[in-house]
Amino acid sequence: MLKILYAGSPAPAATTLRLLLDRQAQDGWQIAGVLTNPPSAKGRHKELVPTDVGALAAERGIPVFCPQKLDAAAREQIAAQGFDALVCFAYGKIFGPKFLSLFMAGGVNVHPSLLPKYRGATPVPAAILNCDKETGVTVQTLALGMDEGEILAQEKIALDGTETTDSLLDKSAQIAAALLEGLLRDTAAASSFPKGKPQEGEPSYTKTISKDDALINWNDSAVKIAAAVRAYTSEPGSWTRIGGETGETLKILKAAPLGLADDFASLPAGTVAAFDKKQGILIKCGQGVLCVTELQRQQKKAMGYKDFMNGARDFVGTRLV
């Protein structure tokens, strides 16, 4: 039986883990432990909350390891369990050569892009922001360089321009589970991961997203702003201000571009041009019009555009910045 240590932290990694646990019964491999980030303090009372992966593992009775650092003590603890292989999906820490040497069969990493495109931490938002027609999921060998491993499995995902980061990550997680299932079955039979193929093409890189990145520039096109809204979805959330540079923060949660630029040609970009009861709140952009259907005022709950307008009857004509 191939004993696997699964390393991951956020919700998509938990989705993949859950699917793998449901499929591992007779394939000669078993997820025998989970490595995840330590619990973090959340909420008003700063209660310690485990990662999504950690919570799922605890629920299924799987040993959980959550060291602050992958130091000598952590390596000793992991080595004592006799794991054969490492499977990683969005763990959040870098593996050094000493840690990787603990796994005789080797290690693999799930990356939600078509490597070598979009190496780094935010490949899914990058694909949405760039309005790509396709992206994908890659399973690569774990290498010391960031996302530089050899490709073991890869599957493309067609994009239609309606995906959000959350929905695309969920789809990627499901594809990852299917790719890993076949790979782990073959690895269990051979006692090591198969040889991969080198990445081909010019690599590109993504960066960590900050709140400032999600500030809407109303001089951009409606198409570009709508893509940003979908890319930033729940975290950090596309936002703007009501009432100038020091005004109230307003998050735009759902929106789509409309081709109505000529109808509001005289209005400055960022102006709330109209309220259409059937479509949404219409905001003039550098090119085109953004139709907003879900918003969230500062320290308030998210709401649909009709409910929002019921409490903001003077919103039309406002200039957002």
Side-chain angles (χ1 to χ4, degrees), residues 191-205:
S191 298
S192 65
F193 286 108
K195 183 173 176 57
K197 64 177 183 178
Q199 298 181 25
E200 297 179 353
E202 187 69 23
S204 59
Y205 295 86

Side-chain angles (χ1 to χ4, degrees), residues 103-148:
F103 306 93
M104 292 185 64
V108 298
N109 178 59
V110 173
H111 190 75
S113 82
L114 296 175
L115 288 173
K117 191 173 186 179
Y118 300 143
R119 291 175 177 173
T122 55
V124 169
I128 295 173
L129 285 169
N130 291 329
C131 298
D132 290 349
K133 298 300 182 183
E134 68 174 15
T135 186
V137 178
T138 302
V139 180
Q140 58 173 327
T141 58
L142 275 164
L144 297 181
M146 183 175 62
D147 297 323
E148 295 179 3

Side-chain angles (χ1 to χ4, degrees), residues 137-207:
V137 178
T138 302
V139 180
Q140 58 173 327
T141 58
L142 275 164
L144 297 181
M146 183 175 62
D147 297 323
E148 295 179 3
E150 294 186 338
I151 295 174
L152 297 172
Q154 196 171 65
E155 184 171 324
K156 293 181 179 180
I157 302 173
L159 302 179
D160 62 14
T162 63
E163 298 83 5
T164 66
T165 289
D166 291 343
S167 69
L168 187 50
L169 276 171
D170 184 67
K171 186 171 186 177
S172 298
Q174 295 179 51
I175 291 173
L179 293 177
L180 285 169
E181 182 184 10
L183 181 62
L184 292 174
R185 182 172 55 246
D186 294 343
T187 301
S191 298
S192 65
F193 286 108
K195 183 173 176 57
K197 64 177 183 178
Q199 298 181 25
E200 297 179 353
E202 187 69 23
S204 59
Y205 295 86
T206 63
K207 65 171 186 174

Side-chain angles (χ1 to χ4, degrees), residues 58 79 95 113 156 177 192 213 237 255 260 263 268 278 310:
F95 299 118
S113 82
K156 293 181 179 180
S192 65
D213 293 322
L260 301 173
D263 293 2
K278 293 184 178 180
N310 284 337

Side-chain angles (χ1 to χ4, degrees), residues 203-267:
S204 59
Y205 295 86
T206 63
K207 65 171 186 174
T208 301
I209 294 170
S210 69
K211 181 181 177 181
D212 289 343
D213 293 322
L215 174 61
I216 296 171
N217 181 353
W218 292 106
N219 291 312
D220 287 339
S221 69
V223 170
K224 185 174 181 179
I225 294 172
V229 170
R230 292 186 291 110
Y232 298 135
T233 48
S234 58
E235 185 61 38
S238 289
W239 61 284
T240 186
R241 298 186 186 93
I242 305 173
E245 296 291 336
T246 60
E248 176 190 357
T249 296
L250 175 69
K251 284 190 175 182
I252 307 296
L253 303 178
K254 291 183 181 179
L258 294 180
L260 301 173
D262 291 340
D263 293 2
F264 308 113
S266 63
L267 295 177

